[in-house]
Amino acid sequence: MSSPAIDFARSQSARFLDELKALLRIPSVSTLPEHQGDVRRVAELLAAELTRIGMEHVEIIETGGHPLVYADWLHAAGKPTCLCYGHYDVQPPDPLDEWLTPPFEPTERNGNLYARGAVDDKGQMYMHLKALESLFSTGNGKLPLNVRVILEGEEEVGGESIARFVREHPERLKADFALVSDTEMFAPDLPTLCVGLRGMIYTEIEVRGARTDLHSGMYGGAVPNPFVALAQIIAQLKDKDGRILIPGFYDAIQPPSQDELRAWQALPFNEEHYRATEVGSPELTGEPGYSVLERTWARPTLDVHGMPGGYTGAGAKTVIPAKAVAKVSMRLVPDMTTDHTFALYKSFVESLKPAGVELEVRLIHSGDAIVIGTDNPYIRAATQALRSVWGKETVFIRSGGSIPIVGDFERHLQIPTVMMGFGLPDDNLHAPNEKFHIANFHRGIESVVAFFEELGQ
Amino acid sequence: MSSPAIDFARSQSARFLDELKALLRIPSVSTLPEHQGDVRRVAELLAAELTRIGMEHVEIIETGGHPLVYADWLHAAGKPTCLCYGHYDVQPPDPLDEWLTPPFEPTERNGNLYARGAVDDKGQMYMHLKALESLFSTGNGKLPLNVRVILEGEEEVGGESIARFVREHPERLKADFALVSDTEMFAPDLPTLCVGLRGMIYTEIEVRGARTDLHSGMYGGAVPNPFVALAQIIAQLKDKDGRILIPGFYDAIQPPSQDELRAWQALPFNEEHYRATEVGSPELTGEPGYSVLERTWARPTLDVHGMPGGYTGAGAKTVIPAKAVAKVSMRLVPDMTTDHTFALYKSFVESLKPAGVELEVRLIHSGDAIVIGTDNPYIRAATQALRSVWGKETVFIRSGGSIPIVGDFERHLQIPTVMMGFGLPDDNLHAPNEKFHIANFHRGIESVVAFFEELGQ
């Protein structure tokens, strides 16, 4: 595959990578208040770059939280309009001591670029910008189709601001389809489109016992222990095989079609290889009777992410804490809804409250599950573009993760999303030593160029 | 009650309190490496004060950990020798935001002195020094009995160094009895001697699942969750009524005598008042069939103090942590032994290991339970002294807490300990807003003076 824009991208690959490294050096951790300035700095840098490459109406949109970055170029009369979405915020880097090189000092190793946000999502978001630059630079300052760009800085903290913007200003994002590059390829060199996402509800259970922290010697045996209470609750949310015990939890599920299940069975996937190379636990766990791909793509789950409270330092502190919290999330699949599932969960957790404590169940954020049809012109054009760049047929997968904005685009803009991602399964998303395979960064740019050229024909 | 030494103590009460405040301003938190210098600073200050008041052979004994402070005065021929023990280290002050005034800025409020370590144990330890000063100052530089002083800086982290010193150098601490002021009065103005302590084992259970932290969207449903595994384990350690389910756990227990139980029933204690004023939880919890005093003094317990791991910050981080830890301790009663109980616990926890994870059970520290007989001359003299100072009969109680050194004194020095403490039940030991009732500090000094005068007659 070759075109002036693709040739341009190849000739500029070293500069493109340097620019990405500069972005990755800024710790735009959206969940930590002390990084608020860093998040804004990245927004400003992206706005400047969008202006430089030729986008119009570039704007940093204030939200009350972290800002949105908007830009458009709408002069390709008669051609479709693409809404390019990406997020420039990143997950916290902890645990810091498990990084081989510092999370905010991008480092090349074995053909990969290691840094927090390398693949999720700064690297993949930046592919869009560099594809647009390549097209502008070789097209007399024009693009083959119309483009709007919307970038957010709150994806890792629930994406409330962009959700509100989409809901309240759908006319400003009017497009025929959206392009999101925040997913992964099923295997190296296997071009992949993601056509299904799990939803999620992220919650906190707070348990309060005594009014203040008490000495476990003086009071142990008479006073409720919030951690023991939480353990009793959590142990009743799932059975030992991993089945979730919340009454009604599984009722609304629409299983995948027989065609989809057959396609998944044909994918190059070996559960033991996955366990050994990606996971590393002694065994895999989860609902009996379902394959790993079904369990992670098409079945709901429940996980505990942390249990703040009490004493977590080194050595011994003999405290019965006044309160403790469990951070619990559930992943949802079609047609479970966030509101109904949270109501079922909350009422079940409340029914499990042990004696002697008070309990509060809080919803932190949520997003609906989604399945995208494969019979639309944008998915077809994407398949064609991927074939031309990668020389292989595209596989259609789902992702166990959640990208709530895709549901918002469907609901409020009535447009489908093409989820064209170039991460790899071992990219360590949300974990130490996150990386982006450098070749995928460059071929991702070429793929987006080819996709836009295909749609502009 | 009056004597020259008691009159002296009364005349110097303002200075004594100021000196205590200076001690409390130094954050000698033994569990936190960054406070190592502060712990040593307090040791040096106490050594200087022991020298100043007239003690001999004052020495800072290096241990590899925090130092011991030793002093003696052994010129009262024919009189008994008292070993005065205290600890000058304190618990960590967290959670900091619940302190009404800063933990290391001692503040007087409502007749109390608020500070970390006010009562546990800097304030009570300092009573001994001020009683000795009062006796030296009014006794021509002599004491009515022989005294050795040994102070440690590791009580809140397990007291390993003093335990080793007692074991390896019993001749350096040769005495007829020990005096420990690290317990509380049963009620305000009710003179109290503590004659029983629970033992304890403090442990950590570490559960490891995946090799690295994983994204709960991508992997949820296939990968073990260490917090869920810990919850399942903890939920099986105790039933809903608070009975511990470790096989054999209760087998070695010697219940209190009928006399002791009758005496406890006669104490001024109201469970509802205790719940409302000291605890503040909606209900009390614990083993059915036992009173609160039995449950906290004469029955073993199991508590969880914290569950480090995963994400504990604000908001949402969707991580399946590679590992999580539960800090679990048990309080033991006679004749349970630490070694045997830990072995029962470890093997039971290992038997509960859920599929998919690895598990490690670690012993952090331990101390045996102890019961002291009341039929010895030192307890009788203490009772007499307390009657003269407080004008009331002494009550004999146990404590739910653990003071492992009392067992070491019994085992290696073959001496009984008089546990004469002046804390109050609402002093917030190990919790925010720890305090010492200022009147008890002064009457505690008078009580120790009277006790030593009684023994020197």
Side-chain angles (χ1 to χ4, degrees):
Chain A
M1 167 86 201
S2 174
S3 79
I6 286 179
D7 294 343
F8 177 89
R10 287 179 183 155
S11 75
Q12 302 296 311
S13 61
R15 172 172 64 85
F16 287 178
L17 191 66
D18 281 345
E19 289 174 11
L20 173 57
K21 287 180 184 172
L23 269 186
L24 291 170
R25 282 192 191 98
I26 308 172
S28 51
V29 181
S30 49
T31 202
L32 300 175
E34 61 267 35
H35 287 297
Q36 199 180 339
D38 294 316
V39 180
R40 177 164 297 266
R41 207 139 59 87
V42 176
E44 286 165 356
L45 205 149
L46 292 169
E49 181 63 7
L50 285 161
T51 303
R52 190 188 69 77
I53 63 176
M55 293 295 290
E56 299 175 348
H57 307 117
V58 177
E59 183 182 348
I60 291 185
I61 300 172
E62 299 301 336
T63 65
H66 301 300
L68 300 171
V69 180
Y70 174 85
D72 64 34
W73 189 92
L74 302 170
H75 306 297
K79 303 295 180 188
T81 301
C82 174
L83 176 61
C84 291
Y85 162 90
H87 68 90
Y88 61 88
D89 63 323
V90 301
Q91 281 274 316
D94 46 306
L96 277 175
D97 58 357
E98 293 181 21
W99 285 80
L100 297 181
T101 49
F104 297 110
E105 187 40 65
T107 307
E108 291 186 45
R109 211 157 58 234
N110 305 323
N112 298 310
L113 183 63
Y114 287 85
R116 171 56 86 231
V119 68
D120 179 19
D121 180 49
K122 280 178 180 165
Q124 297 211 70
M125 168 208 67
Y126 208 59
M127 294 181 324
H128 294 185
L129 271 64
K130 295 294 104 177
L132 293 172
E133 178 184 355
S134 303
L135 289 162
F136 273 127
S137 296
T138 54
N140 295 316
K142 293 184 177 156
L143 298 176
L145 80 175
N146 304 293
V147 170
R148 296 182 198 265
V149 171
I150 186 83
L151 308 174
E152 69 157 321
E154 295 180 358
E155 201 270 348
E156 303 294 4
V157 288
E160 263 183 55
S161 296
I162 196 170
R164 194 173 53 243
F165 188 79
V166 171
R167 198 169 59 238
E168 294 177 358
H169 303 288
E171 75 292 349
R172 293 202 53 188
L173 300 177
K174 196 170 153 45
D176 295 295
F177 71 100
L179 174 66
V180 171
S181 296
D182 198 14
T183 52
E184 59 184 38
M185 301 172 73
F186 189 76
D189 294 321
L190 189 58
T192 305
L193 292 174
C194 177
V195 295
L197 295 166
R198 290 198 286 194
M200 87 131 135
I201 52 181
Y202 198 105
T203 77
E204 288 181 348
I205 309 173
E206 177 171 312
V207 167
R208 293 180 299 274
R211 190 183 305 116
T212 177
D213 288 1
L214 293 175
H215 187 296
S216 68
M218 303 301 173
Y219 293 91
V223 169
N225 185 304
F227 280 111
V228 173
L230 278 173
Q232 290 169 341
I233 292 167
I234 292 164
Q236 294 176 80
L237 295 179
K238 266 175 140 171
D239 71 13
K240 291 191 191 244
D241 291 327
R243 263 184 229 95
I244 294 160
L245 302 173
I246 301 165
F249 190 75
Y250 292 109
D251 287 357
I253 295 176
Q254 287 297 332
S257 69
Q258 288 304 315
D259 279 357
E260 204 169 7
L261 284 173
R262 262 193 299 273
W264 295 354
Q265 280 157 16
L267 289 170
F269 184 79
N270 176 288
E271 294 200 357
E272 173 54 21
H273 183 257
Y274 167 88
R275 185 202 66 75
T277 59
E278 281 192 53
V279 176
S281 60
E283 294 168 70
L284 297 176
T285 53
E287 268 185 294
Y290 296 92
S291 71
V292 164
L293 295 186
E294 285 172 87
R295 299 207 299 275
T296 56
W297 292 354
R299 298 296 298 172
T301 64
L302 183 148
D303 271 296
V304 179
H305 308 290
M307 295 183 68
Y311 186 66
T312 54
K317 181 169 152 73
T318 51
V319 62
I320 301 179
K323 69 172 186 181
V325 170
K327 288 174 176 275
V328 179
S329 82
M330 281 142 278
R331 299 281 164 171
L332 314 186
V333 300
D335 292 333
M336 299 171 81
T337 63
T338 55
D339 289 357
H340 182 62
T341 308
F342 180 68
L344 292 175
Y345 162 78
K346 182 169 190 280
S347 117
F348 186 55
V349 168
E350 286 168 352
S351 78
L352 300 176
K353 185 188 80 58
V357 298
E358 294 173 307
L359 181 153
E360 187 186 348
V361 182
R362 295 187 283 258
L363 181 64
I364 305 300
H365 71 77
S366 65
D368 282 321
I370 198 157
V371 171
I372 306 266
T374 54
D375 55 347
N376 72 65
Y378 314 106
I379 295 283
R380 281 195 296 272
T383 309
Q384 176 61 29
L386 290 171
R387 187 190 298 119
S388 69
V389 171
W390 297 79
K392 282 188 191 165
E393 280 310 313
T394 296
V395 296
F396 297 103
I397 67 165
R398 292 197 195 179
S399 165
S402 307
I403 310 181
I405 195 67
V406 173
D408 293 328
F409 290 161
E410 183 179 73
R411 195 171 313 108
H412 299 293
L413 308 181
Q414 287 85 43
I415 59 174
T417 295
V418 174
M419 286 183 272
M420 184 192 282
F422 299 95
L424 288 178
D426 64 350
D427 275 350
N428 297 320
L429 270 74
H430 292 208
N433 305 307
E434 178 180 345
K435 69 172 174 66
F436 195 5
H437 189 50
I438 294 170
N440 284 18
F441 173 61
H442 296 304
R443 290 180 95 179
I445 295 168
E446 294 173 30
S447 302
V448 175
V449 168
F451 179 40
F452 287 170
E453 288 180 335
E454 179 76 26
L455 285 167
Q457 277 177 357
Chain B
M1 166 89 199
S2 173
S3 81
I6 285 177
D7 294 343
F8 177 88
R10 287 180 184 155
S11 74
Q12 301 297 311
S13 61
R15 171 171 65 85
F16 288 180
L17 191 65
D18 281 345
E19 290 174 11
L20 173 57
K21 287 180 186 172
L23 270 186
L24 292 170
R25 281 192 192 99
I26 307 172
S28 53
V29 181
S30 49
T31 201
L32 300 176
E34 62 266 34
H35 287 297
Q36 198 179 340
D38 294 316
V39 180
R40 177 163 299 264
R41 207 141 58 87
V42 176
E44 286 167 355
L45 204 150
L46 292 169
E49 180 64 9
L50 285 161
T51 304
R52 191 189 67 79
I53 64 176
M55 293 294 292
E56 299 175 349
H57 308 115
V58 177
E59 184 182 348
I60 290 184
I61 300 174
E62 299 302 334
T63 64
H66 301 299
L68 300 170
V69 181
Y70 174 85
D72 64 33
W73 189 92
L74 302 170
H75 307 295
K79 303 296 182 188
T81 301
C82 174
L83 175 62
C84 291
Y85 162 89
H87 68 89
Y88 61 88
D89 63 323
V90 301
Q91 281 275 314
D94 46 309
L96 277 175
D97 57 357
E98 293 181 21
W99 285 80
L100 297 180
T101 49
F104 297 109
E105 187 42 63
T107 307
E108 290 186 44
R109 211 159 54 235
N110 305 323
N112 298 310
L113 184 62
Y114 287 85
R116 170 56 86 231
V119 69
D120 178 20
D121 179 49
K122 280 178 180 165
Q124 298 210 70
M125 167 208 68
Y126 208 60
M127 294 180 324
H128 295 185
L129 270 64
K130 295 295 103 177
L132 293 172
E133 177 183 354
S134 303
L135 289 162
F136 273 128
S137 296
T138 54
N140 295 319
K142 293 182 177 160
L143 298 177
L145 79 176
N146 303 293
V147 169
R148 295 183 199 263
V149 172
I150 185 83
L151 308 176
E152 70 158 317
E154 297 179 358
E155 201 269 347
E156 303 294 4
V157 289
E160 263 184 54
S161 296
I162 196 169
R164 193 173 56 242
F165 188 80
V166 172
R167 197 169 61 237
E168 294 177 357
H169 305 287
E171 76 291 349
R172 294 203 51 189
L173 300 176
K174 195 171 151 48
D176 296 295
F177 71 100
L179 174 64
V180 172
S181 296
D182 197 15
T183 52
E184 60 183 41
M185 301 172 72
F186 188 77
D189 295 321
L190 189 58
T192 304
L193 292 174
C194 177
V195 295
L197 295 166
R198 291 199 284 195
M200 86 132 138
I201 50 180
Y202 198 105
T203 77
E204 287 180 348
I205 309 174
E206 178 172 312
V207 167
R208 292 180 299 274
R211 189 185 303 116
T212 178
D213 289 0
L214 293 175
H215 187 295
S216 68
M218 302 303 175
Y219 293 92
V223 169
N225 185 305
F227 280 111
V228 173
L230 279 172
Q232 289 169 341
I233 292 167
I234 293 165
Q236 293 176 80
L237 294 179
K238 267 174 139 170
D239 72 12
K240 290 190 191 243
D241 291 328
R243 264 184 228 94
I244 294 160
L245 302 173
I246 300 164
F249 190 77
Y250 293 110
D251 287 357
I253 295 175
Q254 286 298 330
S257 70
Q258 287 304 316
D259 280 357
E260 204 170 8
L261 283 174
R262 260 193 299 274
W264 295 353
Q265 280 157 14
L267 288 169
F269 185 78
N270 175 287
E271 295 200 357
E272 173 54 21
H273 183 258
Y274 167 86
R275 185 202 64 76
T277 60
E278 282 193 53
V279 176
S281 59
E283 293 168 69
L284 297 175
T285 53
E287 269 186 294
Y290 297 93
S291 71
V292 163
L293 295 185
E294 286 173 271
R295 298 207 299 274
T296 55
W297 293 353
R299 298 295 297 173
T301 63
L302 182 147
D303 270 298
V304 179
H305 308 291
M307 296 183 68
Y311 185 67
T312 54
K317 181 169 149 72
T318 51
V319 63
I320 301 179
K323 70 173 186 181
V325 170
K327 289 174 173 276
V328 179
S329 82
M330 281 142 279
R331 299 282 164 171
L332 314 185
V333 300
D335 292 332
M336 300 170 81
T337 63
T338 54
D339 289 356
H340 181 62
T341 307
F342 179 68
L344 292 175
Y345 162 77
K346 182 169 189 283
S347 116
F348 186 55
V349 169
E350 286 167 350
S351 78
L352 300 177
K353 185 187 80 57
V357 298
E358 294 174 305
L359 182 154
E360 187 188 348
V361 182
R362 297 187 282 257
L363 181 65
I364 306 298
H365 70 79
S366 65
D368 281 323
I370 198 157
V371 171
I372 307 264
T374 55
D375 57 345
N376 72 64
Y378 313 106
I379 294 284
R380 280 195 294 274
T383 309
Q384 177 61 31
L386 289 171
R387 186 190 300 117
S388 70
V389 172
W390 296 79
K392 283 189 191 163
E393 281 309 314
T394 295
V395 296
F396 298 103
I397 67 166
R398 293 197 194 179
S399 166
S402 307
I403 310 181
I405 194 66
V406 173
D408 293 328
F409 291 160
E410 183 179 76
R411 196 173 312 110
H412 300 291
L413 308 180
Q414 287 86 42
I415 59 174
T417 295
V418 174
M419 284 181 274
M420 183 191 283
F422 301 94
L424 288 179
D426 64 350
D427 275 350
N428 298 321
L429 271 74
H430 292 207
N433 304 306
E434 177 178 347
K435 69 172 174 70
F436 195 5
H437 189 50
I438 294 168
N440 283 19
F441 173 63
H442 296 302
R443 290 179 94 179
I445 295 168
E446 294 173 30
S447 300
V448 175
V449 167
F451 178 41
F452 287 169
E453 288 180 334
E454 180 76 26
L455 285 167
Q457 275 176 2

